[in-house]
């Protein structure tokens, strides 16, 4: 007798570490409690090492992985056509190619799912280097310590005088080799605002912000005031010294003139 084989196109599924994943597998072999129904989930690792994940055989469910018992289970009514696999609390080691094989008599069903478990980027750290002075340059950078590659970085100015902007200033320079680094050149008051860096990959994103402030007007006023104050103080001191010496000279002159007048 010739067997009947049905197959499904391979599916790729991406999930985050710690989440749950349901790998679909549906068949049309609803035969009640037929003891000839066999269901087997296999995992093929990139190292070409294959292991059994869970099986239904001879009317019983077998989970051969003692260390991870309870973390994998059939997600639906496997005797009525839904042999999907539920994996709880995903880890990076769960990545691989899963095969679902369903058999009853001479009929077979086969489907494969490629599961990729990823780590979303951790919250990046935003840094700023440079002088916040008019005409100066400031380098902004951000980096996520954890996350599955590739991680993409994007800078944008989110607030300018309380208004959402979205775009970087015209003179902003993005490092094409390291897009997490942006240099704000020739700073002006139009460069001020809140800048956000977003780190993202296929399963999530995180962001951080940095605020660019310029105090050049106030700073110049303080410096100018300090210069004027110091200059005024020096002039006052010189004037006081001059008056003291002048007073002494006048007193000496008066003392010398007094005897002459008596004579």
């Amino acid at each position: 007798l010739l067997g009947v084989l049905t197959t499904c196109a391979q599916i790729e599924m991406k999930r985050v570490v710690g989440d749950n994943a349901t790998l679909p597998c549906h068949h049309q072999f609803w035969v009640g409690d037929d003891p000839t129904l066999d269901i087997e989930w296999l995992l093929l690792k990139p190292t070409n090492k294959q292991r059994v994940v869970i099986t239904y055989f001879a009317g019983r469910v077998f989970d051969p992985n003692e260390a991870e018992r309870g973390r994998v289970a059939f997600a639906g009514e496997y005797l009525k056509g839904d042999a999907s696999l539920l994996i709880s609390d995903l880890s990076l080691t769960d990545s691989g190619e899963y095969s679902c094989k369903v058999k009853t008599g001479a009929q077979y069903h086969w489907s494969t799912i490629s599961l990729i478990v990823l780590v979303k980027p951790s919250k990046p750290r935003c840094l700023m280097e440079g002088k916040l002075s008019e005409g100066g340059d400031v380098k902004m950078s951000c980096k996520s310590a954890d996350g599955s590659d590739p991680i993409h970085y994007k800078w944008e100015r989110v607030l300018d005088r309380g208004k959402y902007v979205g775009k970087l200033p015209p003179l902003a320079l993005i490092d094409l080799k390291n897009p997490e680094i942006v240099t704000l050149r020739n700073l002006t008051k139009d460069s001020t605002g809140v800048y956000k860096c977003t780190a993202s990959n296929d399963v999530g994103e995180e962001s951080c912000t940095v605020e660019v402030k310029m105090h050049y007007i106030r700073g110049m006023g303080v410096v100018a005031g300090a210069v004027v104050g110091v200059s005024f103080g020096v002039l006052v001191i010189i004037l006081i010294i001059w008056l003291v010496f002048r007073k002494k000279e006048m007193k000496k002159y008066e003392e010398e003139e007094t005897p002459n007048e008596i004579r």
Side-chain angles (χ1 to χ4, degrees):
L1 295 176
L2 295 176
V4 178
L5 173 66
T6 59
T7 61
C8 294
Q10 181 170 340
I11 301 171
E12 182 179 271
M13 182 182 293
K14 294 181 180 180
R15 292 294 184 269
V16 183
V17 166
D19 284 357
N20 300 335
T22 300
L23 280 55
C25 178
H26 297 88
H27 63 87
Q28 297 178 347
F29 306 149
W30 183 10
V31 290
D33 295 328
D34 187 348
T36 64
L37 179 65
D38 294 337
I39 305 173
E40 184 177 49
W41 274 97
L42 301 172
L43 170 59
L44 178 62
K45 301 292 289 183
T47 56
N48 290 325
K49 183 179 180 181
Q50 183 172 277
R51 68 177 177 87
V52 177
V53 179
I54 194 171
T55 62
Y56 172 79
F57 175 73
R60 294 180 58 190
V61 175
F62 296 92
D63 181 356
N65 303 297
E66 293 287 342
E68 299 182 355
R69 178 154 293 181
R71 206 169 65 86
V72 296
F74 286 109
E77 297 186 66
Y78 48 90
L79 296 179
K80 296 183 179 180
D82 186 0
S84 300
L85 176 67
L86 172 64
I87 307 176
S88 304
D89 191 20
L90 289 170
S91 66
L92 291 174
T93 57
D94 291 322
S95 293
E97 186 175 285
Y98 289 78
S99 297
C100 174
K101 297 192 298 181
V102 184
K103 171 191 170 187
T104 178
Q107 300 181 82
Y108 297 85
H109 171 87
W110 187 293
S111 62
T112 58
I113 300 97
S114 178
L115 177 63
I116 303 173
V117 182
L118 301 171
V119 179
K120 77 173 187 176
S122 60
K123 186 174 181 61
R125 182 185 179 191
C126 283
L127 298 175
M128 182 170 58
E129 300 176 10
K131 294 182 178 181
L132 295 174
S133 57
E134 189 172 14
D137 293 345
V138 170
K139 183 172 74 173
M140 303 184 301
S141 63
C142 78
K143 194 73 174 178
S144 289
D146 297 309
S148 299
D149 293 329
I151 298 178
H152 305 284
Y153 294 92
K154 179 183 177 182
W155 277 97
E156 58 184 339
R157 183 165 52 162
V158 291
L159 287 177
D160 176 25
R161 301 183 186 93
K163 297 181 180 179
Y164 177 79
V165 181
K167 295 182 179 180
L168 294 173
L171 294 180
L173 180 64
I174 301 175
D175 190 328
L176 296 180
K177 292 184 178 179
N178 301 287
E180 68 271 20
I181 299 175
V182 171
T183 301
L184 301 179
R185 300 178 298 171
N186 191 23
L187 286 179
T188 65
K189 64 180 180 180
D190 292 331
S191 305
T192 59
V194 177
Y195 292 79
K196 181 174 76 171
C197 174
T198 301
S200 63
N201 61 10
D202 287 340
V203 290
E205 65 179 38
E206 288 286 349
S207 62
C208 60
T209 59
V210 64
E211 186 172 4
V212 176
K213 293 182 178 180
M214 289 183 60
H215 303 287
Y216 64 97
I217 297 177
R218 181 181 175 184
M220 289 176 62
V222 170
V223 172
V227 171
V228 172
V230 170
S231 301
F232 181 74
V234 171
L235 289 175
V236 169
I237 292 172
I238 293 174
L239 180 60
I240 292 173
I241 294 174
W242 181 82
L243 289 174
V244 170
F245 278 101
R246 180 65 178 170
K247 186 175 181 180
K248 287 183 178 180
E249 290 179 358
M250 290 295 294
K251 186 175 181 181
K252 183 179 180 181
Y253 177 77
E254 290 175 355
E255 290 176 351
E256 291 177 351
E257 288 294 321
T258 300
N260 292 333
E261 291 178 357
I262 295 173
R263 293 189 189 115

